[in-house]
Amino acid sequence: MNRKTLVLPAVLGLFTPVLVACGGAGGGDRASHAITVGTTDSFATTKESPAPLDPAYAYDAGSWNLLRQTLQTLMTLPRGGGEPVPEAAEECGFTDTGNERYACTLRDGLKFAGGEAVTATDVKYSIDRVLGIKAASGVASLLNTVDTVETQGYKKVIFHLKTPDATFPFKLATPVAGIVHPEKYPRDRLRNGFEIDGSGPYTLKAETANGAVTKAVFTKNDTYKGQHTPKNSKIELRPFADAAAMGAALDAGEVDLMTRTMSPEQIKKLSSGADEDIKLVETPGLEIRYLGFNTNAPVVREKAVRQAMAQVVDRGELTSTVYGEGADPLYSLVPATLTGHSSAFFNKYGAPSTEKARGILRKAGVTTPVKLTLHYTTDHYGSTTEKEFEVLKKQLNASGLFEVDIKGAEWVEFRADELDGKYAVYGLGWFPDFPDADNFLAPFLDKGNFLALPYVNSAIRDDLIPQSRREADRLRASDSIEEIQNIVADDVPVLPLWQGRQYVAARDDIQGVEWALDSSSNLQLWELSRGVSD
């Protein structure tokens, strides 16, 4: 049959699977083989990043996707999105009216993959360890509302929070709250390398070369008890240098499925139905891309420079030129599909205008052209990132107000230099920890933020973020969330660019593809199985 792209619903909680019957290759002894998944994510140990798979350090989508398969968390997001549900816990909930005391009771019979019992003490150890190590990656900031963790017996854990935090159940569903084996993870230092010891759906064995993972083999953990039901016994995740190599492997049958990051050209080709043996699934995505600013750097310390850049950048041209239908212009840090979103940057700056930008700079007494370098990572978000930065450079230079160069670096070097404040302007992406507006604001603007931004706004940190977290009804938090977006549009510590859609391509005997990624780009490998083509 002629292959068509499957587009899945965007409404969380109404995420209905689309089943497809397909002709094509299949059968034989493939049914007994591990399902092989391709990715352009890379996993490497370096001097700057010696512990890429330690939940007390890991804070990128690729590493988290390995941890989600192997470490169990108290809560998890349900298959089709929505409010978190118990995972390692049998029940969890706030026990007060102020959202400051959260209690969980563990399931009976929980065990680490090695057979040792999982207890409340292990949960406390895992959370206390993250907060104690407080790694430079900034991942501990997700748990910064935790004051103390208390245990009652071997099954009950009580979290006492410093301030109300209605988003706390979402945070307990992220890998930073993964339950680790206390004998395998030192209390006061990171665990280097690629080993993971948890109680999740799978165990992991990483094959490596020159300090990098060449294959991650996930084997079903028979001791696992939780919310998920693995539909396969083994998955192999294979990193590729780029989307072209990954696509070639899919075409050759060397991998069964490929995920992020596919190129716009691949998406266009597969959408056309050119290959009847491969199906393409489009699902709602919450990935965003943005420019970050080191507001202490002399070249962008003046707010007017950042505002002028916001006034010049043409998001429509950027997305259509580089990403086609795979991305949409974004005018806020909060994606358009989340409660609380407002198009704050469009409201303030309107359409791109060199004249308005010139007026902003002239009023502030800034001499033009402003010379600066835009930094980007060459290997973390796919091969189109360079093209994206070429377009940004062209737009800014065409205004005559800026003299821009661009410079790329591999992710490990790029991330370390960004955290060290070596870049004045840099490009990054964000795959949310959980689908709530708070997770597109606090990680950038709160104390101990992911970017190590020197920018501080006391109204945001001391009033607006705490106010929004008091509201269990997230619609009622919208006023605070929208005010934060307005402040960001005025001060421009970050400049949002676009919001992405996400795609999965798979050979047509692979089932569960429509569930392989959730809206936050989290891999759900337990959903995949090998079926028989019609």
Side-chain angles (χ1 to χ4, degrees):
M1 62 178 285
N2 188 39
R3 180 71 54 222
K4 294 184 178 180
T5 302
L6 309 180
V7 182
L8 302 187
V11 181
L12 295 177
L14 297 177
F15 195 86
T16 307
V18 181
L19 302 179
V20 184
C22 309
D29 63 353
R30 280 175 57 83
S32 63
H33 293 172
I35 295 173
T36 305
V37 176
T39 179
T40 58
D41 288 329
S42 59
F43 314 95
T45 58
T46 65
K47 180 181 179 181
E48 296 81 6
S49 178
L53 299 185
D54 189 322
Y57 178 84
Y59 204 9
D60 65 88
S63 296
W64 270 25
N65 275 332
L66 270 59
L67 294 176
R68 287 184 188 277
Q69 321 307 316
T70 48
L71 291 184
Q72 205 168 10
T73 49
L74 290 172
M75 303 290 285
T76 190
L77 296 180
R79 191 188 205 201
E83 296 295 316
V85 296
E87 160 59 344
E90 66 179 27
E91 62 178 359
C92 285
F94 285 105
T95 60
D96 64 340
T97 58
N99 295 334
E100 293 181 288
R101 187 179 187 275
Y102 195 80
C104 293
T105 302
L106 297 181
R107 294 177 185 266
D108 288 327
L110 288 179
K111 294 181 180 180
F112 289 108
E116 303 88 346
V118 176
T119 69
T121 300
D122 299 322
V123 177
K124 173 178 169 59
Y125 179 93
S126 301
I127 301 296
D128 286 346
R129 178 177 179 270
V130 170
L131 294 172
I133 291 175
K134 201 174 182 179
S137 65
V139 70
S141 65
L142 273 172
L143 302 175
N144 64 5
T145 57
V146 174
D147 186 10
T148 59
V149 185
E150 174 189 354
T151 62
Q152 292 183 358
Y154 68 94
K155 287 182 60 178
K156 191 165 187 178
V157 186
I158 302 171
F159 298 90
H160 300 277
L161 306 183
K162 301 173 185 176
T163 58
D165 187 0
T167 69
F168 191 64
F170 283 101
K171 295 172 181 177
L172 289 182
T174 64
V176 70
I179 306 168
V180 301
H181 196 306
E183 295 180 7
K184 305 290 186 179
Y185 291 81
R187 178 181 296 275
D188 57 357
R189 57 185 171 85
L190 296 172
R191 182 182 184 181
N192 295 352
F194 300 110
E195 292 183 311
I196 304 175
D197 287 274
S199 55
Y202 297 93
T203 60
L204 170 69
K205 181 177 181 181
E207 298 181 12
T208 64
N210 300 318
V213 172
T214 56
K215 182 190 295 184
V217 181
F218 296 96
T219 302
K220 183 179 177 182
N221 175 15
D222 291 332
T223 69
Y224 167 72
K225 290 187 177 182
Q227 183 71 218
H228 309 301
T229 303
K231 298 176 175 60
N232 58 74
S233 59
K234 184 173 287 188
I235 296 276
E236 294 181 357
L237 185 70
R238 287 185 54 193
F240 288 87
D242 52 44
M246 180 172 65
L250 181 68
D251 290 341
E254 296 170 6
V255 300
D256 299 298
L257 178 148
M258 64 180 183
T259 61
R260 58 181 301 263
T261 304
M262 297 167 59
S263 71
E265 293 77 17
Q266 288 172 326
I267 293 167
K268 183 177 181 180
K269 175 185 175 182
L270 291 171
S271 296
S272 71
D275 191 333
E276 294 188 355
D277 295 336
I278 297 173
K279 54 189 172 186
L280 180 71
V281 177
E282 177 188 341
T283 61
L286 295 176
E287 173 192 4
I288 69 169
R289 296 284 176 87
Y290 57 91
L291 294 178
F293 296 93
N294 175 359
T295 52
N296 282 345
V299 69
V300 293
R301 183 181 296 146
E302 174 63 61
K303 179 169 70 172
V305 174
R306 308 192 301 271
Q307 289 180 328
M309 291 178 68
Q311 186 65 73
V312 167
V313 167
D314 187 338
R315 296 167 177 81
E317 180 190 49
L318 178 67
T319 54
S320 62
T321 301
V322 181
Y323 295 100
E325 296 182 357
D328 298 297
L330 181 64
Y331 297 92
S332 169
L333 279 175
V334 178
T337 48
L338 288 183
T339 300
H341 164 83
S342 72
S343 296
F345 275 81
F346 186 82
N347 296 340
K348 181 170 179 63
Y349 300 100
S353 170
T354 295
E355 287 308 307
K356 288 182 180 180
R358 181 177 288 110
I360 292 171
L361 294 171
R362 182 185 298 120
K363 184 177 180 180
V366 175
T367 302
T368 59
V370 177
K371 297 181 180 181
L372 51 84
T373 300
L374 307 184
H375 296 266
Y376 66 94
T377 173
T378 58
D379 60 336
H380 197 61
Y381 302 117
S383 57
T384 51
T385 306
E386 181 178 4
K387 184 177 180 181
E388 176 180 339
F389 274 73
E390 289 283 3
V391 172
L392 288 170
K393 173 184 175 180
K394 180 180 178 181
Q395 290 181 356
L396 291 166
N397 288 347
S399 72
L401 304 175
F402 297 93
E403 188 175 313
V404 172
D405 285 326
I406 61 174
K407 186 175 182 180
E410 292 186 355
W411 171 251
V412 173
E413 175 189 346
F414 172 88
R415 179 64 171 144
D417 286 347
E418 181 270 314
L419 288 173
D420 285 343
K422 295 180 180 179
Y423 302 149
V425 190
Y426 51 88
L428 274 171
W430 183 250
F431 296 86
D433 310 319
F434 51 89
D436 185 275
D438 178 88
N439 193 240
F440 290 86
L441 299 172
F444 304 95
L445 305 169
D446 209 354
K447 184 178 180 181
N449 62 74
F450 164 72
L451 296 178
L453 283 178
Y455 170 81
V456 176
N457 184 287
S458 58
I460 291 176
R461 289 190 180 183
D462 300 339
D463 299 322
L464 295 172
I465 289 177
Q467 284 174 20
S468 72
R469 288 175 174 171
R470 291 190 185 101
E471 300 293 349
D473 181 347
R474 302 311 287 158
L475 186 60
R476 295 180 62 181
S478 293
D479 287 347
S480 300
I481 291 168
E482 289 178 15
E483 181 58 25
I484 294 172
Q485 293 168 83
N486 291 335
I487 293 172
V488 170
D490 186 59
D491 288 350
V492 200
V494 289
L495 177 58
L497 297 173
W498 56 263
Q499 176 179 348
R501 305 172 192 178
Q502 57 185 15
Y503 299 86
V504 179
R507 305 201 69 80
D508 65 0
D509 63 334
I510 301 300
Q511 309 301 315
V513 179
E514 61 272 22
W515 302 112
L517 289 176
D518 70 10
S519 65
S520 299
S521 299
N522 300 320
L523 271 178
Q524 302 178 132
L525 296 180
W526 49 83
E527 295 285 357
L528 299 176
S529 62
R530 197 184 297 281
V532 178
S533 302
D534 294 337

